[in-house]
Amino acid sequence: MKIKQINIFGFGKWENKQFDLSSQSLVIVSGNNEAGKSTLKQFLLFMLFGMSPKERRLFLPKKGGKLGGRLTVETDDGSTFTIERLHDRNKGEASCYTSDGNVQGEDWLTKQLAGVNRETFLDIFAFDTTVLQKLHQIKQQDIGEILLGVGMAGTDQLYWTEKWLDQQLNQYFKPQGKKPKINQLLESLSHQAEEVTKREAETRDYLEKQQAKQRLQQEIAEHQNKQSLLNKQLQNLKQKIHYLDTIAAFQQVNQELATFPDEISFPEQGLTRYDQLQQSLYPLHSEATVFERKLEKEKQQNKQLSENMLSDGVVEEIEATLEGFNGWKDITNQLQYKQKDKNELEQQLIYDINQLNLDLNLSDIQYLSLPFATEDTWIQLKEEKQAINQSLINIDKEGQLIKEQARYLQQEQDELERRVLKTERVDQLKHDVENEEKIIQYQTQTYLNNQQQEEWYQFKKKKQNQTKWLTILGLSLAFVAMVIGLLLDRQLTWFIVGLGMTAVALIVFLINRSSIKSMEPIFMRSYDLNQGKNKRTVTDETLGEWKQVIEEQVRIKRKQEALANQLRDLNLQQLKQEETKQFHLQRQERLNQKVQVQLIQFPFLHDVSLEHWPKLYHYLIQAIDQTKKYTKLLNVVEELGQMQNDYAARIRQSYTTIFTEDKTVPSIEAIQIKLKDTLDQHKLFFQQLEQSKDTIKQLEEQLAEVYAKMIPYQNQIRLLWEKANVSDEEAFLAKGELKQAYELLYNQMKSYRKTLEAVLTGEDMSNIIKGEPITKSELQATLENMEHALLTANDKIKTKQQQLADINVTMENLENSHALMDEKHRFHQMKSELRHQAKQWTMYQLARVKMKQTKQLYFQNYLPTVLSHTSSYFKRLTNGHYHRVLINEENGTLLVEDPQGLRYTIAELSQGTKDQLYVSLRIGLSILIQRNHTMPFLVDDAFVHFDKNRIEAMVTIIGELSETHQIIWFTKEKIGSMPSLRKKNLHLLEI
């Protein structure tokens, strides 16, 4: 099959684009990255095999328009048809237009492609650099099987499928494993059988539990009746004990009521009303007292503030002094910043100088001067020293190497000297070999001569027979012609014919006889028999050994001469090296003199190696620059310090003027704080004086209002005193408390009586009112006995109830539980699951066996052919370094063989050689497949890792393949002009 025309309606970046491939079998699509090569390849795959809707959406035209196109192909029988696919028509399925005007569908196209689907096509007829990158990521121990799978099916899926089947089999069952599914099911099934047996035993205990339950229910009922009777008796006794204090209190209250007078005159709720009036007056009394105290305090404060106020002149002097302090503060801040910068720069300079580890200080750096040519001088000295040292090192290394070579050559010469034979022995061997070769030559020539003479005798005999029969035939025909002439009227004619035939027969006889006589001396030559009188005295093996000894002696002589020449050359090299070394030592002496000049000029360089002088120069230059900055900062600090002192003198003068009584003058900051505090205090005194005047006025008004509010409450208090027949507060409160105590006792008596009448009988109540006593100790003893009896009864009931509850729970669990059925059901489920898993394992095992059988069949029938083609291409791609690819008969692995017969596993090959083997396998498989499928090849930059020679060999192979297959090669390289492609049917398509 061959692609003739490409018409793209819209696909990715391609829109309304046509390509004509009608007359080319090798198409090279060349372009840079992002040019659209891969998109064009995907379009061809889309047209041949289609795409899913999700994949098609990735290639929708960026500028709008419909996705799809047409592809015209030519089949092996010469017919053509056009494939059309559109994204939004027929769900992306193909419409095929044949040359006779018919329209076919997707099924017809599949038949034309001989059943090749997208995956098969990509595995066999397409490969790119992505496949090789995946090959690079595979483990070394797996690469051989991967490539073997490629040789079988064109893809590594065969290898991964085998791995997957082995993994599935191990996940299902291992003879000694515990984690596989079937192993776990077998263990679980054993445990489940034990659980079923346990549940069956529990069911047999149910009847025994039921009898025990009835017995416990009867015992609990008896104990509960006894408990109820005890509870009633205990409740009555507790009520008597509970109200024992109430009875005593009731009798006590009756006795106290008898001590009060019969009538007490006092206003209704007099104490409460009096207390309410006092509560209303208390805040007013307190408020009036507070106002009076505040008023007195404010008047005193007002007087003190007036005395503490400053005069206006002093205030103006303070304000002027504070304004001058701002200038002093600015100068001080600047001085601090500059001082800080100076100190930091000084510390940094000292640190940098110390880091140099030189005999220098800050003052030395200030006066240090480095001429402009110093850096160049130091660099030249450093470079010259490095060059001299390197030259001396190289000379020493070369000298050592020459000595090693000379020693090695001398050893080799000594070894050759031991292997040299004497001249007489070599000459004797040459003479013996020459005699043996003469004998062999004569024997060979004799054998050939005898064979030639035998062949000549057979030829001569055959030729004589032919001549004899031809002569007889000619004479016979002449006799027949003469006889016919005698019998017919035309006698002369037949007589002439007969004579002619006789003459021809005689001529043929004479010619053959003459040729045999002329050739016989050539084949029947004789040789000097004396040459063959001597027979061979040694065997061919001994003769070969003599020749090898002679050749080895010749090689030894030549090698001795070569070694002598090499030793002479090495001696010359040693002399030259000595001269060169002396020259560099003289340079080193001159360099030391130059260095000494610099050390005299700059003594601190004694502690620094010459290699670091250029780097030190830059450090010194930086230090000098920083020193200049330091000097400038030092001058600025001195100027700011003088200005600060001037400001401070004026501020202290003002301070002594304002505070004449202060004999000591504080610091400037303290002066500012004191002046500011004095001014703020003056302002605060002024504000407080004004506020004090307002406060005195408000307090006087509030005090008058409080006095007016107190008058109504005082009138009501006097009215209550009159109703109680008292004249003062103390008598009123005493009479009120007496009245209140009587009412309290009376109400208590009524409450106690009501409570007791509700719980006691009339007889008990009558006895209590009369004052008869009740003994609490007797009631308490009886209560303790009854409580102990009740606790004993409760314990017995709880014990029985707990036993009954345990039995009920057990019986209920047995009655309501489906444990036995569940366990049996689970047991049968596990057996079913085991059968299912065993069936699944059997399927995987069968698939694994079938795959092995298929591989074995392939090994026998097809793989030899594939490996034969692979070996041919692999040999060409590796430039003859490997000439054969074969299968290891013991373990079935892939091997390669070099010309010496050494074999290598795939893991032992370099990554580039593995790539070349992969490409060779794909080509070898495609040659086998092309017998039934002649699909075009799509190659997408699959050789980017090949060197120039491998690319040239690969291009040659592709050119050869293009004679039987159409090949479309997508690449970013400019390879269309390679010599191996110039004579091919090539079409270069640049995009």
Side-chain angles (χ1 to χ4, degrees):
M1 178 178 289
K2 182 178 180 182
I3 298 174
K4 307 286 285 184
Q5 298 284 339
I6 301 175
N7 186 3
I8 305 175
F9 302 156
F11 194 83
K13 69 177 294 180
W14 296 106
E15 295 184 25
N16 299 323
K17 189 69 177 179
Q18 294 81 31
F19 300 99
D20 185 5
L21 313 179
S22 58
S23 60
Q24 293 80 14
S25 59
L26 175 57
V27 180
I28 298 179
V29 182
S30 176
N32 296 326
N33 294 334
E34 303 297 330
K37 303 186 298 297
S38 298
T39 305
L40 180 58
K41 173 186 173 183
Q42 291 297 326
F43 174 77
L44 296 176
L45 295 174
F46 166 61
M47 296 305 298
L48 290 172
F49 307 105
M51 284 184 179
S52 65
K54 182 177 181 181
E55 292 176 319
R56 294 200 300 270
R57 282 193 290 271
L58 297 176
F59 297 98
L60 289 173
K62 305 303 181 183
K63 298 180 181 180
K66 59 183 178 179
L67 183 149
R70 288 190 170 193
L71 193 69
T72 301
V73 297
E74 180 181 355
T75 60
D76 297 339
D77 57 4
S79 62
T80 60
F81 64 92
T82 300
I83 306 170
E84 181 183 70
R85 288 185 190 269
L86 296 173
H87 172 62
D88 54 357
R89 186 183 301 173
N90 296 333
K91 298 180 180 180
E93 293 187 356
S95 297
C96 301
Y97 301 92
T98 61
S99 56
D100 55 4
N102 294 327
V103 180
Q104 305 292 340
E106 190 77 32
D107 295 338
W108 183 85
L109 176 60
T110 302
K111 293 180 181 179
Q112 295 300 311
L113 297 175
V116 176
N117 57 18
R118 181 189 180 96
E119 288 73 20
T120 304
F121 181 84
L122 292 175
D123 289 341
I124 299 176
F125 299 101
F127 52 93
D128 53 25
T129 187
T130 304
V131 179
L132 297 180
Q133 290 175 356
K134 288 172 59 180
L135 195 68
H136 296 175
Q137 300 170 0
I138 296 172
K139 295 180 179 178
Q140 292 294 329
Q141 59 267 28
D142 297 336
I143 190 68
E145 295 187 26
I146 292 289
L147 290 178
L148 183 59
V150 170
M152 294 176 59
T155 177
D156 58 359
Q157 288 301 317
L158 184 64
Y159 167 78
W160 295 118
T161 302
E162 286 184 315
K163 289 292 185 183
W164 181 81
L165 285 174
D166 292 338
Q167 183 181 5
Q168 293 298 317
L169 289 171
N170 290 332
Q171 288 179 356
Y172 274 93
F173 178 72
K174 286 183 179 179
Q176 304 299 329
K178 292 184 177 180
K179 293 184 178 180
K181 297 178 181 178
I182 294 178
N183 297 75
Q184 292 179 358
L185 280 173
L186 289 172
E187 185 175 358
S188 300
L189 196 63
S190 176
H191 292 320
Q192 192 63 30
E194 295 176 359
E195 192 67 24
V196 170
T197 304
K198 180 180 177 182
R199 295 298 181 185
E200 289 176 347
E202 289 178 353
T203 304
R204 290 191 291 269
D205 295 339
Y206 178 77
L207 295 177
E208 297 177 2
K209 299 288 184 183
Q210 192 172 28
Q211 294 174 359
K213 176 183 177 182
Q214 294 175 356
R215 184 173 60 255
L216 286 172
Q217 287 175 341
Q218 292 176 358
E219 293 176 358
I220 290 172
E222 293 175 358
H223 287 293
Q224 285 178 343
N225 292 333
K226 183 178 179 181
Q227 182 190 36
S228 177
L229 180 60
L230 287 172
N231 279 329
K232 289 179 180 180
Q233 294 175 357
L234 183 62
Q235 186 66 28
N236 293 333
L237 185 59
K238 283 183 177 181
Q239 285 182 352
K240 289 181 182 181
I241 295 173
H242 177 72
Y243 289 103
L244 189 61
D245 294 337
T246 304
I247 293 171
F250 175 74
Q251 291 175 345
Q252 180 67 28
V253 168
N254 280 337
Q255 292 176 4
E256 291 179 0
L257 285 174
T259 63
F260 281 88
D262 294 337
E263 183 179 358
I264 301 172
S265 61
F266 196 79
E268 187 70 25
Q269 296 183 352
L271 289 176
T272 302
R273 289 162 63 188
Y274 183 79
D275 185 62
Q276 290 175 353
L277 291 172
Q278 287 295 337
Q279 292 296 329
S280 300
L281 279 174
Y282 286 153
L284 294 176
H285 281 298
S286 299
E287 190 174 0
T289 302
V290 170
F291 286 150
E292 290 173 354
R293 293 175 181 173
K294 286 183 178 181
L295 183 59
E296 182 65 24
K297 184 178 180 181
E298 284 295 331
K299 288 180 179 180
Q300 294 177 357
Q301 187 176 3
N302 186 277
K303 182 179 178 181
Q304 186 178 0
L305 289 172
S306 300
E307 294 174 354
N308 294 332
M309 293 289 290
L310 298 174
S311 64
D312 294 340
V314 174
V315 172
E316 291 176 357
E317 182 67 21
I318 292 174
E319 290 176 348
T321 303
L322 289 174
E323 290 179 0
F325 180 80
N326 292 332
W328 175 86
K329 189 174 183 180
D330 292 340
I331 295 298
T332 301
N333 291 335
Q334 294 180 24
L335 180 60
Q336 290 176 350
Y337 293 146
K338 295 298 181 181
Q339 186 69 36
K340 181 181 178 182
D341 293 342
K342 179 185 77 67
N343 294 336
E344 291 178 353
L345 184 56
E346 182 179 0
Q347 293 176 359
Q348 184 64 39
L349 280 171
I350 294 173
Y351 174 79
D352 292 341
I353 293 171
N354 292 335
Q355 288 296 107
L356 296 176
N357 292 324
L358 300 176
D359 187 16
L360 294 174
N361 53 33
L362 183 58
S363 61
D364 295 335
I365 296 295
Q366 288 177 327
Y367 297 106
L368 180 63
S369 175
L370 296 176
F372 70 93
T374 301
E375 182 181 10
D376 295 337
T377 301
W378 290 0
I379 292 175
Q380 290 174 0
L381 293 175
K382 172 189 173 182
E383 292 176 350
E384 187 175 357
K385 180 179 180 181
Q386 291 176 345
I388 293 172
N389 291 339
Q390 186 61 41
S391 298
L392 291 174
I393 291 172
N394 293 338
I395 290 171
D396 292 339
K397 288 182 179 179
E398 291 176 0
Q400 187 65 27
L401 182 60
I402 290 173
K403 290 179 181 178
E404 292 291 335
Q405 291 177 348
R407 184 168 59 255
Y408 173 76
L409 292 175
Q410 188 62 45
Q411 291 175 355
E412 193 171 358
Q413 193 174 39
D414 295 341
E415 178 65 23
L416 292 175
E417 191 66 31
R418 287 192 295 269
R419 292 166 55 189
V420 171
L421 299 177
K422 293 182 179 180
T423 306
E424 295 80 4
R425 174 59 179 163
V426 175
D427 294 339
Q428 182 64 36
L429 287 174
K430 289 181 180 179
H431 181 265
D432 294 342
V433 168
E434 185 177 355
N435 291 336
E436 287 294 325
E437 287 180 345
K438 288 180 179 179
I439 294 171
I440 292 172
Q441 182 179 6
Y442 172 76
Q443 291 176 350
T444 303
Q445 188 64 38
T446 302
Y447 172 77
L448 293 175
N449 185 53
N450 293 335
Q451 187 176 10
Q452 186 178 21
Q453 289 179 356
E454 179 66 24
E455 292 175 354
W456 165 247
Y457 176 76
Q458 296 293 336
F459 174 77
K460 177 182 176 181
K461 185 177 181 180
K462 182 179 179 181
K463 199 72 174 177
Q464 288 176 346
N465 290 333
Q466 290 177 352
T467 303
K468 175 182 176 182
W469 287 107
L470 285 173
T471 303
I472 293 172
L473 178 62
L475 294 176
S476 299
L477 291 174
F479 177 75
V480 170
M482 292 180 179
V483 171
I484 293 173
L486 293 174
L487 296 177
L488 298 178
D489 294 337
R490 302 177 65 180
Q491 297 178 355
L492 181 60
T493 301
W494 286 104
F495 181 76
I496 294 171
V497 171
L499 290 176
M501 289 182 178
T502 303
V504 169
L506 292 174
I507 291 171
V508 170
F509 175 77
L510 294 174
I511 290 173
N512 287 336
R513 183 178 177 184
S514 176
S515 63
I516 289 172
K517 287 183 177 181
S518 63
M519 292 175 64
E520 188 170 9
I522 298 174
F523 293 101
M524 298 302 291
R525 289 182 300 180
S526 60
Y527 292 89
D528 186 7
L529 297 178
N530 294 326
Q531 295 179 354
K533 289 182 179 179
N534 297 327
K535 296 184 179 180
R536 293 188 60 184
T537 60
V538 295
T539 62
D540 291 339
E541 183 178 357
T542 303
L543 181 61
E545 291 177 354
W546 288 355
K547 290 181 179 180
Q548 289 179 359
V549 170
I550 294 171
E551 292 174 356
E552 183 181 5
Q553 293 300 312
V554 173
R555 287 196 298 270
I556 289 173
K557 289 293 184 182
R558 292 175 182 174
K559 196 166 185 180
Q560 283 180 329
E561 294 175 357
L563 288 175
N565 294 333
Q566 291 178 7
L567 285 171
R568 185 171 57 256
D569 293 340
L570 288 176
N571 291 331
L572 292 175
Q573 290 180 13
Q574 282 182 331
L575 294 175
K576 291 180 181 179
Q577 278 191 337
E578 289 296 331
E579 294 176 357
T580 305
K581 186 174 183 180
Q582 290 299 323
F583 170 74
H584 287 299
L585 290 175
Q586 292 174 2
R587 287 181 60 197
Q588 191 177 46
E589 182 63 26
R590 290 194 296 272
L591 174 65
N592 292 335
Q593 295 175 0
K594 295 178 182 179
V595 170
Q596 192 63 32
V597 171
Q598 294 297 318
L599 292 175
I600 295 172
Q601 186 177 359
F602 304 104
F604 56 85
L605 293 176
H606 281 90
D607 300 329
V608 183
S609 63
L610 180 58
E611 289 79 5
H612 298 147
W613 284 11
K615 188 175 182 180
L616 176 62
Y617 176 83
H618 293 288
Y619 285 127
L620 292 175
I621 290 297
Q622 293 176 1
I624 292 171
D625 294 339
Q626 292 296 99
T627 305
K628 292 178 181 178
K629 293 181 182 179
Y630 171 76
T631 304
K632 292 181 180 179
L633 280 175
L634 191 61
N635 295 332
V636 171
V637 167
E638 292 177 354
E639 294 176 359
L640 291 175
Q642 185 61 39
M643 293 175 66
Q644 184 189 38
N645 293 332
D646 295 341
Y647 272 104
R650 289 195 294 269
I651 292 171
R652 291 190 180 94
Q653 180 65 35
S654 299
Y655 178 80
T656 56
T657 303
I658 296 170
F659 302 100
T660 56
E661 70 282 358
D662 196 350
K663 301 300 181 181
T664 60
V665 180
S667 64
I668 300 300
E669 291 82 359
I671 292 173
Q672 182 200 19
I673 294 171
K674 188 169 183 179
L675 290 175
K676 192 173 182 181
D677 292 343
T678 302
L679 185 60
D680 292 342
Q681 189 175 14
H682 171 75
K683 293 179 180 180
L684 180 62
F685 286 160
F686 181 78
Q687 293 176 358
Q688 290 176 351
L689 183 62
E690 294 298 323
Q691 291 176 358
S692 179
K693 292 178 181 179
D694 295 337
T695 303
I696 291 172
K697 184 178 179 181
Q698 292 176 0
L699 289 174
E700 289 176 347
E701 294 175 353
Q702 292 173 353
L703 185 59
E705 292 178 358
V706 172
Y707 287 153
K709 292 178 181 179
M710 293 173 62
I711 295 173
Y713 296 111
Q714 292 174 349
N715 293 334
Q716 291 182 16
I717 289 173
R718 283 194 294 272
L719 182 61
L720 289 175
W721 287 355
E722 293 175 357
K723 290 182 179 181
N725 294 324
V726 295
S727 59
D728 56 19
E729 181 179 14
E730 185 178 355
F732 181 81
L733 291 176
K735 198 170 185 178
E737 290 176 357
L738 182 63
K739 178 68 174 180
Q740 192 174 25
Y742 174 81
E743 291 178 351
L744 179 61
L745 290 172
Y746 183 75
N747 291 332
Q748 286 180 353
M749 184 272 295
K750 289 174 64 177
S751 176
Y752 291 152
R753 185 168 184 171
K754 184 178 180 181
T755 300
L756 293 173
E757 287 176 349
V759 296
L760 299 178
T761 63
E763 183 179 359
D764 291 337
M765 191 64 194
S766 177
N767 293 332
I768 290 171
I769 293 173
K770 292 177 182 179
E772 292 182 1
I774 299 175
T775 305
K776 184 177 181 180
S777 59
E778 294 179 359
L779 295 176
Q780 192 68 34
T782 306
L783 178 64
E784 290 177 359
N785 294 331
M786 293 181 67
E787 286 179 345
H788 182 268
L790 186 60
L791 287 173
T792 302
N794 285 336
D795 292 340
K796 291 181 179 180
I797 291 173
K798 288 181 180 179
T799 302
K800 299 296 182 182
Q801 286 177 341
Q802 184 62 44
Q803 294 176 359
L804 181 61
D806 293 340
I807 293 174
N808 285 333
V809 170
T810 304
M811 293 180 64
E812 186 176 358
N813 290 337
L814 292 174
E815 290 172 353
N816 299 328
S817 174
H818 301 285
L820 179 59
M821 295 178 61
D822 292 342
E823 297 299 338
K824 287 185 176 181
H825 178 67
R826 194 175 295 111
F827 177 75
H828 290 293
Q829 277 185 330
M830 288 183 179
K831 290 179 65 177
S832 177
E833 178 67 17
L834 179 61
R835 286 193 294 271
H836 174 72
Q837 297 294 349
K839 181 179 179 182
Q840 192 69 28
W841 178 85
T842 304
M843 292 172 60
Y844 287 131
Q845 184 67 22
L846 181 60
R848 188 71 177 89
V849 172
K850 289 296 183 182
M851 181 169 289
K852 289 183 178 179
Q853 293 176 352
T854 303
K855 287 177 64 176
Q856 187 63 31
L857 181 63
Y858 182 86
F859 286 161
Q860 297 174 356
N861 298 336
Y862 301 103
L863 191 58
T865 304
V866 173
L867 293 181
S868 176
H869 294 300
T870 300
S871 299
S872 175
Y873 290 115
F874 188 53
K875 180 179 180 181
R876 294 170 64 182
L877 286 177
T878 59
N879 197 21
H881 189 70
Y882 301 99
H883 74 105
R884 186 182 176 196
V885 181
L886 65 158
I887 293 293
N888 189 336
E889 296 180 356
E890 295 181 358
N891 53 20
T893 57
L894 205 61
L895 300 173
V896 297
E897 186 177 85
D898 64 7
Q900 288 75 32
L902 298 178
R903 295 182 179 182
Y904 301 89
T905 63
I906 305 304
E908 294 176 318
L909 302 179
S910 66
Q911 195 60 57
T913 307
K914 294 174 187 175
D915 294 347
Q916 294 156 19
L917 178 58
Y918 173 81
V919 172
S920 302
L921 282 166
R922 290 291 296 270
I923 297 175
L925 180 64
S926 65
I927 292 176
L928 178 66
I929 297 299
Q930 73 178 358
R931 301 171 183 175
N932 300 319
H933 306 283
T934 57
M935 302 290 289
F937 277 100
L938 300 183
V939 182
D940 188 0
D941 261 344
F943 318 118
V944 294
H945 301 296
F946 285 24
D947 57 28
K948 182 178 179 181
N949 295 332
R950 302 295 186 270
I951 285 288
E952 183 66 31
M954 193 67 239
V955 168
T956 303
I957 293 173
I958 287 180
E960 295 172 358
L961 291 175
S962 66
E963 296 177 359
T964 57
H965 276 71
Q966 184 184 32
I967 298 178
I968 302 177
W969 187 355
F970 301 89
T971 180
K972 65 179 183 298
E973 306 294 339
K974 303 298 183 180
I975 61 175
S977 59
M978 286 189 176
S980 56
L981 293 179
R982 290 174 182 172
K983 298 181 180 181
K984 302 296 179 183
N985 189 11
L986 169 67
H987 175 56
L988 180 60
L989 181 62
E990 295 184 354
I991 58 175

